[in-house]
Each structure stands twice: as structure tokens, then as C-alpha cells.
Amino acid sequence: MDAEHADESAILDTLDKQIIHGLVTDARIPFARLGAILGVSEQTVARRYRSLRRRGLLHVAGQVNTVPLGRTRWILRMRTAPNRAVALAEALARQPDVSWVSLLATGFEVTCVCRPRSVERQDELLLRMIPRATQVLELTVHEVMRQFPFAEEWPRYSGLLTAEQLRELGPRPPMWEPRGPERSVQLSREDEAMLAILGRDGRASYARIAGVTGWSASRVARRMSELIESGVLYFDLDFALERMGYVSRAMLWMRVRPGDLEAAGRAIATHPEVAFVAATTGTANLVAAVVCHDTAHLYRYVTESLGVLPGINDVQVLSALRMFKQSSTLLDDRKVGIVP
């Protein structure tokens, strides 16, 4: 059976993984171009992509980076009663500016990422709504100071493409980082409408967005490029990790000597198990999300890869029991994602 007519009962074959790598590199790459790079037809790529989405294995979502808007990201850890943890996680998952909502295996800690778009919304979330929730017994708030970039984003399938294919595909746009006291980006009503559509479907067509914003398709394309260049807009790929063979996911909270923090963060960003790593404020100053095949794999990672790095004084390993929301997608019991 050839690649074009592969059995959909297979979870991921080589072509699926090559397509995923193309989308990780450029979430909005035209299927015709990606097909030409991979040596298959545009129709084949489109059909495979639709199959991945239909089976719940992949979702592309446009995300808003609040830093260029003059705001910041927060990682919240909430201790709650075991019988109230699910209700708390479900309530947080319904908030539009809250993502990566996870119940940890301790059974009474919920974590999430908050990206409030305004001072007023930040105060509402962090000072009123969450602290006053009856389910919350203790709240710890960590500000993300620096997210460490990856040379290649998870799930790191570049080895399945030839050197020529990788050259044709080009590099993934670099992670946006603050470059100084620049004026924050201002978003219009039309920008917000476009971002709302992309949050639901990161590959929404220019024509569809034009119909909502009132802009022409060419203006939509220009403005989208401007927001990507400014760092406001980026794209996340959510995966059904358990169905891909990754059943052990964990958050690692580390205490690192300040002089070793940058080196440790950069080193951890090279580890294939790591999906996210950032320096934060708080008692733990480095946090990482790891994705492993099983508990034995997680143990080997902690002891062999992480354990040899200098400057790490303490590591708290908290396994993820259940995900309630990824970047922007509410999950049911059959879909499990990366934290955060």
C-alpha cells in the first residue's frame, strides 16, 4: 500500500510525521508547497492533515504572546481538596486567557498558564476570581521571566526528512524575545477578530478571515505577517500524546543557582524529552515540561540527563494525571496534551 492510500487505522506513519514536522516549522505552509517538498501530491497532504485532525491527533491554534502587548505570562499552582480538583480545573479551562490546565498526580494540585491581556483582567484573575474560589486552598504565582528557545520543537521529527527537504522547508521562525523599551503593540477590533478565528483554527483561510474582519484577503495576509513579526502571534500544535506512545508527562520544578540558571535552561532546551522550559520567579526558578514514553523513561531522564547538569540544587517531579485544556482546546478524557 502506498503512502497516499495508507490505512487510517495506523496512528502515525512516516509521512504523517513528515507532515507534522512541516507544520511545526510553518503552521500555515501551503499544502501544495509541503507536498512538493515531501514528494507527494497536495491532495495527499490535505487528506492526511484532515485525517490527523479528525482522529484528534493534531490541532493547530494561533496564540497571542502577551509580552509585546505590555503584559506577562504567569504559571499558577493551586492546592485544593482532592474532591474539588476536577471542578477547579474545569472552571479554569473555560477561561479564554487560561491555558495548559493540568491536574497533577498528587491529586490535589492544579496548574495552569495565564495570559491576561490587560491590567484589569490580570487583577480580576490573580487577585479576585482565583483566590476567592472556594476550591483553592493555596495559590502560588510564578511569573515567566524567560522562555528558553529550542533548536527544534517537539516532537522533533526532522530526522525523517532529507537535508535537501529541510533546506527547502526552511527554519522555524525564531522565538520572539523582548528587545528593549519598545512601544507595545496595539490591537484593533479587526485584529482581535482575526486572532479569535486563528485561536480556533490556526490554518483558517485568508478568505474566511477577510469575511469576518471586512479586510481584503491580501490585507489579512499582510497584517498576519506583521503580528507574527512583532511577536504577538505565534502558532502552537496540540497533540494527543498518549495515542502517540507518550504516557508519562511531568512538570519539573527546579531550584538552580542564579549563576547557572541561563546555562541550565539552555542545556535542558536541547533534551528531546522537553516540550517547554522557562525561568520563573518564586521559590523554584526553573520549570520544565517533559514528555516520556513511560515512568521508566521519566526516571532515566531525571537521573541521567537532568542529574548531570551543574547548579541544580533541587528538583520536584510532578506527574500530570489529566489535562483539561491545551493551548486553546478543551480536552475530554481521550485527549492528552503537553503541559504547558
Side-chain angles (χ1 to χ4, degrees):
M1 182 177 295
D2 61 26
E4 186 165 348
H5 300 90
D7 184 356
E8 281 203 356
S9 65
I11 295 300
L12 291 174
D13 65 12
T14 298
L15 181 57
D16 288 330
K17 294 177 181 179
Q18 290 172 329
I19 291 170
I20 287 172
H21 181 76
L23 294 171
V24 168
T25 303
D26 180 358
R28 292 185 59 87
I29 186 172
F31 289 150
R33 178 167 174 254
L34 183 54
I37 293 172
L38 299 179
V40 297
S41 68
E42 175 183 2
Q43 292 76 16
T44 296
V45 175
R47 184 170 61 253
R48 289 299 187 98
Y49 174 73
R50 289 194 298 269
S51 173
L52 290 168
R53 288 199 61 184
R54 183 171 60 252
R55 290 182 287 159
L57 292 169
L58 169 69
H59 178 70
V60 180
Q63 296 295 301
V64 176
N65 178 7
T66 56
V67 177
L69 300 176
R71 308 309 312 146
T72 190
R73 284 181 298 170
W74 307 90
I75 301 178
L76 275 56
R77 302 178 66 179
M78 289 150 284
R79 188 172 63 85
T80 182
N83 63 337
R84 295 185 174 186
V86 171
L88 174 62
E90 289 175 340
L92 288 168
R94 289 192 290 269
Q95 299 300 315
D97 42 10
V98 175
S99 59
W100 306 113
V101 182
S102 177
L103 174 61
L104 301 181
T106 53
F108 53 82
E109 181 170 330
V110 176
T111 66
C112 67
V113 173
C114 290
R115 298 181 175 93
R117 303 272 288 276
S118 67
V119 175
E120 293 75 19
R121 178 58 176 168
Q122 178 175 296
D123 289 349
E124 174 65 22
L125 279 172
L126 303 184
L127 301 182
R128 289 186 287 275
M129 189 185 80
I130 294 176
R132 292 176 183 173
T134 56
Q135 302 99 324
V136 177
L137 302 179
E138 182 179 324
L139 171 65
T140 305
V141 180
H142 301 260
E143 180 180 355
V144 176
M145 296 190 294
R146 167 162 162 70
Q147 182 176 344
F148 294 94
F150 296 118
E152 180 183 352
E153 296 288 329
W154 199 93
R156 302 180 175 91
Y157 288 148
S158 64
L160 299 175
L161 281 73
T162 67
E164 177 60 27
Q165 287 173 325
L166 293 174
R167 281 193 296 270
E168 291 184 48
L169 191 59
R172 178 181 169 89
M175 179 188 296
W176 186 91
E177 295 188 68
R179 294 178 285 272
E182 300 177 355
R183 182 182 179 184
S184 63
V185 177
Q186 301 298 314
L187 297 178
S188 67
R189 181 180 61 183
E190 292 81 6
D191 289 330
E192 296 286 4
M194 176 172 66
L195 293 170
I197 293 174
L198 292 173
R200 295 188 293 270
D201 178 6
R203 288 191 60 88
S205 68
Y206 295 131
R208 178 184 168 195
I209 298 171
V212 173
T213 60
W215 291 339
S216 65
S218 59
R219 185 176 179 186
V220 169
R222 287 196 304 272
R223 184 54 176 162
M224 193 181 298
S225 296
E226 291 170 357
L227 292 178
I228 293 172
E229 175 63 25
S230 70
V232 171
L233 174 62
Y234 67 99
F235 294 91
D236 260 345
L237 271 69
D238 294 335
F239 299 98
L241 295 183
E242 286 191 346
R243 296 175 61 192
M244 293 169 64
Y246 297 92
V247 298
S248 184
R249 305 160 316 281
M251 293 286 290
L252 308 182
W253 293 93
M254 294 162 275
R255 297 181 182 180
V256 183
R257 289 196 300 266
D260 294 313
L261 185 58
E262 178 70 14
R266 287 183 175 274
I268 292 171
T270 67
H271 296 168
E273 295 87 353
V274 176
F276 171 86
V277 57
T280 66
T281 60
T283 54
N285 57 0
L286 190 64
V287 61
V290 297
V291 181
C292 298
H293 290 291
D294 51 32
T295 304
H297 183 189
L298 175 61
Y299 177 77
R300 290 194 304 273
Y301 173 72
V302 172
T303 57
E304 298 173 11
S305 298
L306 199 65
V308 300
L309 296 179
I312 299 178
N313 295 323
D314 181 61
V315 180
Q316 185 181 23
V317 183
L318 296 175
S319 295
L321 182 63
R322 179 179 168 190
M323 288 294 298
F324 290 79
K325 188 179 184 180
Q326 297 189 64
S327 56
S328 63
T329 308
L330 292 172
L331 303 175
D332 60 27
D333 290 331
R334 298 182 300 277
K335 299 178 182 178
V336 182
I338 304 172
V339 211

